[in-house]
């Protein structure tokens, strides 16, 4: 059975690559006609490469160092372990980073090709423009999920080793931490600096080519929202599969293949959904995108049901998976309510902005806080229901049920990524239309596509946060099983006995971990946000310098161009420097708690981290999205429109929201996963060397 | 032994009343000479009475209804319980509300007398002015702690019943919820509305008597910061003592009297500290206040050590208590670092404000997030160390150790309240100096006293949050013991057996509770903040109406006065209406989770609630304090001073911070306690009637 499933998995992964390649050719074969569009999109593509090259250079060094450390110390220090065990994890780790990096490069390359085509298509009609951007995003979606499925399947087939899976997943998530947090700092640095100097100080429009940071701003959309988000979801997908597999292996669950079956069918559903997506005449782009998500979910529901019947999978496992999927959809819809300008929250915040920026902030934050309740209840119900549904199948199945719910929620991740990567492409296209004067109608079209991107982003973010929540809960279970496995190996307990059976909140070590773990996502976000403001201030200084020193730039004299590249380089260097404290803090705190309090403290630490991480990530993502759309709502003519006091207040809200929704909020996601994986990998080491 | 301790407790409580009365006479015997000061302070006193009368009228009805419900349903529904059991809890509940209300009335009455004396004394010298305000605060401190100690001691002596203690504590905390959240909404409603219409729209100074909301603003300081905070700390103190006693009784710990001994010695130390406090020549008022806190702590350390020796108390119990005290002091010092303008955070936020309000907000929030780490580590260490220190004494002692740490942290609460109540008095005095034109020198003196009040407030808030954290952890233990006790009574397990021994985070019910509980403080804060903005907008409309309809008011024509009372009434009605959703939400969620998921879900729920409650309360209190002081720092002449762009940005930060630090942040404290007590009281009911 498992062999057939593996072969089938590889096949479907390859199909996804074929689809990606087909879309890529479809995009590429249209020539970019307008020379100005060609030039500027070339600058953006080049800037994105500059960023990636710099990032990956640093990452490569980091990866080598970490790989060596892993080889020396994990799963146990080399002197009390075998070379082979340590080597497998180290190699898997390196593979995880490489796979994720490849997905990032591919996605970003296509995105920087699709933006120009989307911009030019907008001079014809909205359908053509929509398809260019959507298919550009789909290349990313298909490549990412194809690679993650292929990587996990092949690795599992060869090694059947939970250490290898955790190592691969750790590789993916440490790359995601760089890509998401680094990219997030970069994009908001450029965005804020460009806005502050351009819109606020000089009163020139967004995307005005005189602004030295304008290309960096467009590059930012690609590196933060496109490559960063891709790495993030690659990481979540790998983590959800790995957690389920590790649990299945260590708990001795015989239906391991179910994980692959559902993962592949999800990919298949996404392939069908992506290939059949189109925007009908007179259709609204938001609806087109949402429709494709819902139809993909529906397709998955049907084909996974059929597969359950054919392969004689127990219906309880299927139900656990579908619970995850449905809760994901519900969380998405709730995020949509709080960030879509058709509903009360956005409109109310826009209205409050008339009274001044303090009320934009207070009211927006209030709605952000409210938005966490339904999402957390959703995750709570999903984990509880999937637990109870799977429990009757026997020991260990209950936890496996939660892991399957996470797999189910992420089953349609190919579709999610496609929709998400659509966002930065249309955002870029809008910039190109403005910078190259492609006309009012094209601007109207790309504005409408861009606004759809914003709304859909909220939905997909809700989805990925929910999935991260469930994944990390199953990683916690994976951590416990790792500890018990290690305890047997280390001779702390006899074979068949459990070293720990539970994490009791009244245990002082667990309680200690809970309290400290709660603080970590808050501090992590704070460090990232301070990184953004520090980096933005440096960039503002550079922009001022260029305006002062380059003659004729401010006045827009013909032929005078700013030094775009200098801004990109500065923002890149700054971003990569600023992410170090945040990343190092999260990992070092995990190690400190583990060495001090042992595995029980780590259990508490992970739970505290998950709880406050979900709380803050949901709060920040939703509040940020809400402020962005409240600003857009006012700009579309409400409460005085552009330039009114309400608009000024809303712009302040949006600026606060930028690092919320694009830097700190989504990076917390990755931080939680990284910390959980570090804990699982260090299980043996903590057992051997902790203070308490 | 216990009888002697009880008599001694009553004695010391009475001494604290004598000291309070002595200070009251000391203040009252100075006549208020300036007729204008007399008039306006009379208006403030009258407005405060208006608020309290309205609040207590509603509260009285609420109390009667809840008392009847308690009588009918708690600890078990009347049909499966005895009348006596239910009656004891109901009566204790009513006593709890009455004691707390009396403390509030006394404190507020004195505060509204002391403000005028402080203002007049400021025309002579700073020492005299300081003493008037400090002793005014001390009356509150002594009355509150005298009453809470007396109440708990007498109740315990008569009933020896844990239900009675929980009922008394629930009475205190439900009153605190009204006083703190209602007062918090009132004070920020008035503050924001007065600022928006006065400072922002008309450009008239703060505390200008033309502003119809100016008296309401001064009343707000009294009802929110003085009565509200007093009720809050009354509640925390009662809860810490009750939790320790309930645990001692149910776990069969023989050293029950230790709780009283340390509580009384703490009160005694506070009496000595308060009586000997004074401000030396050329001393800075902040140092004078902090010195009195530290010296009180030191006195407690010494006399509790001596008592430990004399009464032959085991040194481990003393150490557990002292750990709490020390961690409280450390948390206070950390809060001070993040909110005092002598250190980097405030100065950095002030500097960032030059770049605009978005950066004031982002940078302030970043520091706020950073500030939670040391405090949470402190609470984590305190609970862990006190657990391990007490554990060797036998079964049950470990948890009792945590309870003693909470008692230790709150031992000097009399001093804490005195310092805290000092704040609104000097704030009021500053207002009186401005409104009555008492001169530049008096303004300078009251400004300096006010700024000290702000800084010290941060310290005392840190203290009370830390104490709440530990108290609620011991309430969680109290909940577990309540459940086990009820399970035996209900015949679910046999005598001597435990129904639940732990709350495992991997249990689906516990996990469900954890996730839902995490969302509660966020939603609770959001509802309060929205209450403030809604209420403020209503008041702004009323102020506009008065400016429009009362002729000559805007121009400051001689003899024209606004309708101050209308503003006070509106703000009061609005505040009491707006607090209902928040309070009801927290209590109903607790009941919903309990009836749905049973006692295990409630265990998780309480932990999630504590973790996210501490996180958000620390974040909001510290961020709010930081923004307030960053504004003051700029006003004192930095970065362009008053009227500069940096100042405007800082004012926006301060407006956002107002409901953070004075409404939502400190109310979360009470919310956590209320929820924990509701859970403990409903333990039997959940065992009988839960769905799962």
């Amino acid at each position: 059975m498992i062999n057939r499933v593996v072969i089938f998995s590889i096949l479907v992964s390859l199909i996804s690559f074929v689809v990606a390649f087909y879309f890529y050719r479809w995009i590429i074969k249209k020539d970019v006609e307008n020379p100005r569009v060609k030039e500027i999109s070339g600058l953006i593509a080049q800037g994105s490469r500059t960023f990636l090259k710099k990032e990956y250079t640093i990452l490569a060094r980091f990866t080598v160092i970490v790989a060596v450390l892993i080889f020396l110390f994990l799963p146990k220090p080399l002197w009390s372990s075998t070379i082979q065990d340590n080597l497998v994890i180290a190699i898997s780790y390196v593979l995880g980073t490489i796979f994720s990096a490849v997905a990032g490069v591919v996605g970003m390359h296509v995105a920087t090709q699709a933006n120009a085509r989307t911009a030019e298509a907008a001079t014809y009609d909205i359908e053509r423009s929509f398809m260019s951007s959507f298919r550009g995003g789909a290349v990313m979606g298909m490549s990412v999920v194809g690679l993650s499925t292929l990587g996990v399947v092949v690795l599992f087939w060869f090694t059947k080793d939970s250490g290898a899976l955790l190592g691969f997943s750790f590789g993916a998530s440490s790359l995601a931490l760089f890509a998401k947090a680094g990219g997030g700092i970069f994009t908001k640095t450029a965005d804020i600096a460009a806005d502050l100097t351009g819109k606020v100080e000089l009163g020139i429009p967004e995307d005005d080519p005189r602004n030295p940071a304008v290309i960096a701003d467009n590059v930012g959309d690609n590196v933060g929202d496109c490559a960063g988000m891709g790495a993030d979801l690659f990481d979540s997908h790998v983590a959800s599969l790995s957690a389920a597999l590790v649990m299945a292996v260590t708990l001795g669950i015989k239906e391991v293949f179910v994980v692959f079956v559902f993962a592949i069918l999800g990919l298949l559903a996404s392939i069908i959904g992506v290939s059949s997506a189109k925007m009908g005449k007179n259709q609204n782009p938001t609806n087109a995108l949402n429709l494709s998500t819902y139809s993909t979910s529906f397709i998955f529901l049907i084909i996974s049901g059929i597969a359950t019947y054919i392969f004689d999978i127990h219906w309880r496992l299927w139900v656990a998976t579908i619970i995850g999927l449905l809760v994901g959809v519900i969380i998405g819809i709730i995020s949509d309510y709080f960030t879509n300008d058709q509903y009360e929250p956005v409109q109310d915040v826009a209205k409050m902005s008339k009274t001044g920026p303090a009320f934009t902030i207070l009211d927006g934050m209030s709605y952000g806080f409210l938005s966490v309740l339904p999402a957390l209840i959703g995750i709570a119900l999903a984990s509880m229901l999937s637990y109870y549904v799977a429990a009757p199948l026997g020991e260990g199945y209950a936890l496996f049920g939660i892991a399957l719910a996470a797999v189910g929620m992420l089953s349609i991740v190919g579709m999610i990524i496609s929709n998400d990567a659509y966002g930065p492409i249309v955002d870029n296209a809008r910039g190109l239309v403005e910078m190259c004067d492609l006309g009012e109608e094209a601007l109207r079209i790309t504005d409408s596509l861009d606004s759809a991107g914003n709304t859909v982003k909220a939905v997909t973010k809700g989805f990925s946060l929910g999935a991260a929540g469930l994944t990390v809960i199953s990683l916690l279970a994976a951590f416990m099983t790792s500890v018990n496995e290690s305890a047997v190996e280390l001779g702390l307990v006899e074979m068949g006995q459990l070293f720990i059976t539970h994490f009791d909140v009244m245990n002082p070590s667990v309680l200690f971990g809970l309290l400290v773990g709660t603080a970590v996502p808050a501090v992590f976000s704070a460090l990232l946000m301070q990184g953004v403001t520090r980096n933005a201030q440096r960039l503002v200084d550079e922009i001022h310098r260029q305006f002062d020193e380059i003659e004729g730039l401010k006045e827009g004299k013909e032929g005078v161009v700013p030094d775009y590249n200098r801004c990109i380089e500065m923002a890149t260097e700054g971003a990569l420097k600023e992410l170090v404290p945040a990343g190092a803090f999260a990992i070092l705190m995990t190690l400190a708690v583990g060495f001090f309090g042992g595995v029980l403290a780590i259990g508490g630490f992970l739970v505290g981290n998950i709880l406050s991480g979900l709380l803050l990530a949901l709060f920040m993502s939703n509040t940020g999205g809400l402020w962005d759309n409240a600003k857009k709502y006012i700009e579309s003519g409400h409460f005085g429109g552009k330039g009114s006091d309400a608009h000024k207040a809303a712009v302040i809200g949006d600026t606060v929201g930028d690092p919320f929704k694009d830097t700190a909020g989504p990076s917390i996601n990755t931080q939680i996963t990284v910390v959980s994986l570090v804990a699982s990998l260090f299980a043996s080491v903590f057992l051997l060397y902790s203070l308490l």
Side-chain angles (χ1 to χ4, degrees), chain A:
Chain A
M1 182 73 193
I2 191 84
N3 282 351
R4 266 186 296 158
V5 171
V6 166
I7 291 165
F8 187 59
S9 304
I10 295 173
L11 208 70
V12 177
S13 301
L14 294 178
I15 295 177
S16 75
F17 296 144
V18 171
V19 173
F21 188 71
Y22 168 76
F23 285 160
Y24 176 66
R25 294 289 314 160
W26 183 87
I27 290 165
I28 274 302
K29 75 167 184 250
K30 299 186 191 165
D31 275 331
V32 181
E33 284 158 13
N34 184 314
R36 184 110 180 90
V37 172
K38 204 166 191 163
E39 184 201 337
I40 295 193
S41 73
L43 283 173
I44 296 174
Q46 190 199 324
S48 306
R49 280 194 297 273
T50 305
F51 176 87
L52 273 200
K53 203 173 148 192
K54 196 141 217 157
E55 183 179 63
Y56 286 163
T57 313
I58 295 178
L59 258 174
R61 281 182 227 147
F62 172 84
T63 303
V64 170
I65 295 170
V66 174
V68 171
L69 288 175
I70 289 178
F71 174 68
L72 291 176
F73 296 109
L74 294 180
K76 288 189 292 269
L78 207 51
W79 55 89
S80 56
S81 177
T82 65
I83 289 187
Q84 200 203 326
D85 275 5
N86 289 28
L87 203 58
V88 164
I89 299 188
I91 291 175
S92 308
Y93 169 79
V94 173
L95 284 176
T97 60
I98 292 175
F99 269 57
S100 175
V102 169
V105 171
V106 170
M108 191 132 125
H109 175 68
V110 182
T112 53
Q113 299 295 323
N115 56 9
R117 275 78 178 178
T118 304
E120 286 211 333
T123 59
Y124 299 97
D125 57 44
I126 190 167
E127 289 82 9
R128 217 176 293 190
S129 189
F130 174 82
M131 286 309 277
S132 300
S133 48
F134 180 79
R135 295 200 156 176
V139 176
M140 177 92 180
M142 294 296 103
S143 328
V144 165
V145 186
L147 279 167
S148 60
T149 312
L150 189 69
V152 173
V153 168
V154 170
L155 200 69
F156 183 76
W157 197 28
F158 272 111
T159 66
K160 300 255 181 331
D161 178 45
S162 58
L165 287 168
L166 291 173
F168 186 75
S169 192
F170 182 50
S173 67
S174 64
L175 193 122
L177 193 65
F178 269 84
K180 189 72 234 174
I185 295 176
F186 180 96
T187 178
K188 290 306 124 184
T189 296
D191 191 4
I192 289 176
D195 278 4
L196 269 181
T197 52
K199 276 201 272 189
V200 180
E201 288 179 13
L202 291 180
I204 56 179
E206 189 162 347
D207 294 324
D208 189 297
R210 278 174 286 172
N211 195 325
V214 75
I215 301 292
D217 189 10
N218 280 287
V219 167
D221 295 334
N222 290 306
V223 302
D225 296 352
C226 190
M229 182 276 316
D232 179 21
L233 283 168
F234 181 90
D235 161 46
S236 296
H237 193 225
V238 168
S240 73
L241 297 180
S242 303
L245 292 173
V246 168
M247 222 182 289
V249 170
T250 46
L251 297 174
I253 284 166
K254 60 182 191 297
E255 291 97 336
V256 184
F257 71 96
V258 170
V259 178
F260 293 120
V261 171
F262 289 151
I264 304 153
L265 292 178
L267 178 52
L268 204 59
S270 299
I271 292 173
I272 300 171
V274 162
S275 309
S276 60
K278 59 169 174 280
M279 189 177 140
K281 284 273 167 221
N282 303 324
Q283 206 187 356
N284 160 332
T286 311
N287 292 348
L289 290 170
N290 282 338
L291 186 68
S292 59
T293 306
Y294 299 140
S295 64
T296 304
S297 304
F298 186 72
I299 295 168
F300 176 71
L301 187 106
I302 299 297
I303 59 177
S304 61
I306 296 172
T308 303
Y309 180 76
I310 294 177
F311 294 123
D312 205 18
I313 298 169
H314 200 290
W315 64 269
R316 288 180 177 275
L317 297 178
W318 178 71
V319 171
T321 311
I322 296 302
I323 286 171
L325 178 71
L326 292 181
V327 170
V329 173
I330 291 168
I331 293 176
I333 292 173
I334 290 160
S335 298
D336 183 48
Y337 171 76
F338 280 98
T339 53
N340 190 324
D341 67 9
Q342 290 168 31
Y343 303 110
E344 195 206 314
V346 171
Q347 295 181 2
D348 191 45
V349 171
K351 191 177 149 206
M352 275 287 183
S353 299
K354 289 194 296 178
T355 330
F359 292 91
T360 314
I361 305 287
L362 281 172
D363 203 39
M365 288 180 66
S366 301
Y367 280 112
F369 277 136
L370 291 178
S371 75
V372 305
L373 180 72
L376 283 178
I377 289 183
I379 298 171
L381 278 176
S383 56
M384 193 183 210
L385 294 176
S386 55
Y387 183 101
Y388 280 122
V389 161
L393 296 178
E395 210 188 330
Y397 277 88
L399 290 175
F400 187 58
I402 297 181
L404 280 182
V407 171
M409 208 182 265
L410 280 169
S411 59
I412 59 162
V413 66
M415 187 70 223
I416 301 285
I417 296 176
S418 303
N419 276 356
D420 224 357
Y422 157 93
I425 295 175
V426 291
D427 199 342
N428 262 227
R430 193 206 161 283
L432 287 170
V433 167
E434 172 127 22
M435 284 187 272
C436 309
D437 291 324
L438 296 188
E440 278 304 307
E441 177 60 13
L443 198 59
R444 203 194 52 75
I445 287 178
T446 45
D447 256 342
S448 121
L449 293 178
D450 188 24
S451 159
N454 257 318
T455 309
V456 170
K457 216 161 143 187
V459 179
T460 55
K461 257 179 203 157
F463 226 96
S464 64
L465 277 170
L470 284 181
T471 301
V472 183
I473 290 168
S474 36
L475 280 176
L476 181 66
F479 170 71
M480 194 160 84
T481 54
S482 298
V483 169
N484 283 325
E485 211 182 337
S486 305
V488 172
E489 279 174 32
L490 295 172
L492 297 175
V493 293
E494 278 176 36
M495 194 71 172
Q497 283 190 321
L498 295 175
F499 184 72
I500 42 172
T501 55
H502 61 262
F503 298 109
D504 174 16
V505 297
M506 306 295 295
N507 177 291
S509 301
V510 176
L511 186 61
F512 175 83
L514 278 167
L515 286 160
V516 177
T518 300
V520 169
V523 174
F524 178 79
S525 327
L527 293 173
L528 289 182
M529 292 198 298
Q530 291 196 326
V532 170
T533 47
R534 262 196 304 265
N535 209 23
Q537 301 235 316
R538 280 195 291 262
L539 196 56
V540 164
D541 289 344
E542 167 63 19
I543 297 169
H544 285 159
R545 189 196 62 77
Q546 293 201 17
F547 274 130
D548 289 346
E549 293 180 8
I550 302 176
E551 258 174 68
L553 179 60
K554 226 181 243 176
E555 299 75 25
K557 211 169 133 191
E558 189 86 19
V560 174
V561 284
D563 186 353
Y564 297 128
N565 237 25
R566 181 82 199 100
C567 287
I568 295 169
E569 278 168 14
M570 274 192 68
T572 307
E573 275 164 30
L576 295 173
K577 204 178 91 188
E578 296 291 353
L579 83 83
V580 173
F585 167 78
I587 293 173
L588 292 179
M589 278 303 281
T590 314
L591 298 181
V593 169
F595 284 120
F596 174 68
V599 291
L600 287 178
I602 283 289
F605 179 80
L606 292 183
V607 175
N609 197 301
I610 295 169
L611 295 176
S612 92
L614 284 176
L615 175 77
L616 294 177
L618 287 163
F619 162 66
M620 291 185 156
S621 292
N622 289 339
T623 313
L626 191 159
W627 279 325
D628 194 351
N629 283 340
K631 184 194 71 174
K632 289 211 164 76
Y633 186 69
I634 293 175
E635 283 174 353
S636 72
H638 299 85
F639 306 116
K642 263 193 179 174
S644 65
D645 280 349
H647 185 240
K648 279 178 201 145
V651 167
I652 292 171
D654 184 35
T655 311
V656 174
D658 266 344
F660 268 37
K661 73 177 196 306
D662 291 324
T663 311
S667 299
I668 289 177
N669 226 350
T670 319
Q671 180 259 303
I672 302 176
T673 322
V674 169
V675 161
S676 303
L677 290 166
V678 168
S680 287
L681 285 167
F682 274 82
S684 299
V685 179
F686 292 151
L687 277 174
L688 282 170
Y689 300 106
S690 82
L691 192 67
L692 291 176

